[in-house]
Amino acid sequence: MGRTKPGERKLHILQTLAAMLEQPTAEKITTAALAARIDVSEAALYRHFASKAQMFEGLIDFIESTVFGLINQITMQQENGLSQAQAIGAMLLEFAARNPGMTRVLTGDALVHENVRLQARMNQFIDRIELAIRQALQLAVTQGQASDAEVALRANLLTSMVLGRWQRFAKSGFRHSPLDDAPAQIVLILG
């Protein structure tokens, strides 16, 4: 790879890492394997990232900014709280379907042998997703579309359904799409 602009090499490293995570039988990804895939030395990787944990943090940054940017779009475009919650659930499943490697980060599979703070960060991410769904359902309560007593229960149930579908998608080697029958199931959950 000849001369690249600042940031391009860093992005290429993250894209390659995500592509490696898309391999259904992916073993623990080493910096040596990543460097070989990009055709650079390990030292070249470390010029852009201080550690492999920083590389995963870069993927998590991408996931967070994309998902929460989309949630913000949904809440701005949809006035109906129930529709917001449905759209958030559907978007989370679609994000996974389009980004199989990222799904392994979302489920924590790719983080098993990495720094524990990365898994803690993903747990926090899931909590924030559940909060966004809860806020949409709280809006639905004010609009007379949902019961206040069930907001937390339904938000947790939808979050759990999304997590389960991400897990099945990753564990099946990306054969079972997280989108299969999802709209109908989301409607059942949100009643």
Side-chain angles (χ1 to χ4, degrees):
M1 227 179 156
R3 271 308 219 179
T4 57
K5 294 178 186 171
E8 281 183 9
R9 176 69 69 152
K10 198 172 188 174
L11 179 61
H12 182 64
I13 291 168
L14 292 177
Q15 288 171 333
T16 304
L17 176 57
M20 291 174 77
L21 289 169
E22 289 181 14
Q23 303 309 308
T25 58
E27 301 292 319
K28 180 181 177 193
I29 295 174
T30 63
T31 53
L34 180 59
R37 177 75 71 97
I38 299 171
D39 197 27
V40 298
S41 68
E42 282 185 79
L45 293 178
Y46 289 116
R47 280 195 286 277
H48 299 282
F49 295 96
S51 64
K52 189 164 64 159
Q54 267 193 1
M55 293 176 206
F56 278 107
E57 283 175 348
L59 291 180
I60 293 170
D61 287 342
F62 169 80
I63 291 168
E64 287 179 339
S65 65
T66 301
V67 166
F68 290 112
L70 291 170
I71 287 173
N72 287 339
Q73 280 181 13
I74 289 167
T75 59
M76 297 297 281
Q77 294 169 354
Q78 298 274 350
E79 291 180 21
N80 181 300
L82 206 50
S83 295
Q84 284 180 14
Q86 290 171 342
I88 290 169
M91 175 275 296
L92 292 167
L93 297 173
E94 191 170 316
F95 179 84
R98 290 183 179 193
N99 300 284
M102 299 295 184
T103 304
R104 293 194 57 228
V105 176
L106 289 167
T107 62
D109 288 356
L111 307 175
V112 169
H113 301 290
E114 304 303 330
N115 191 303
V116 293
R117 82 174 183 280
L118 296 173
Q119 186 60 58
R121 188 165 166 197
M122 288 314 302
N123 292 342
Q124 206 172 33
F125 170 80
I126 300 302
D127 290 344
R128 288 177 58 203
I129 284 173
E130 187 170 341
L131 178 62
I133 294 169
R134 190 177 303 143
Q135 288 170 337
L137 292 174
Q138 205 59 57
L139 176 61
V141 168
T142 66
Q143 296 169 336
Q145 302 171 318
S147 163
D148 193 34
E150 295 179 350
V151 166
L153 176 73
R154 290 187 189 276
N156 181 266
L157 191 55
L158 181 55
T159 303
S160 297
M161 178 265 216
V162 166
L163 290 170
R165 287 183 158 268
W166 286 347
Q167 194 73 276
R168 185 168 190 228
F169 182 49
K171 296 290 185 194
S172 72
F174 310 118
R175 287 188 322 276
H176 293 286
S177 172
L179 299 172
D180 294 342
D181 298 320
Q185 290 179 354
I186 290 170
V187 168
L188 278 174
I189 289 169
L190 297 177

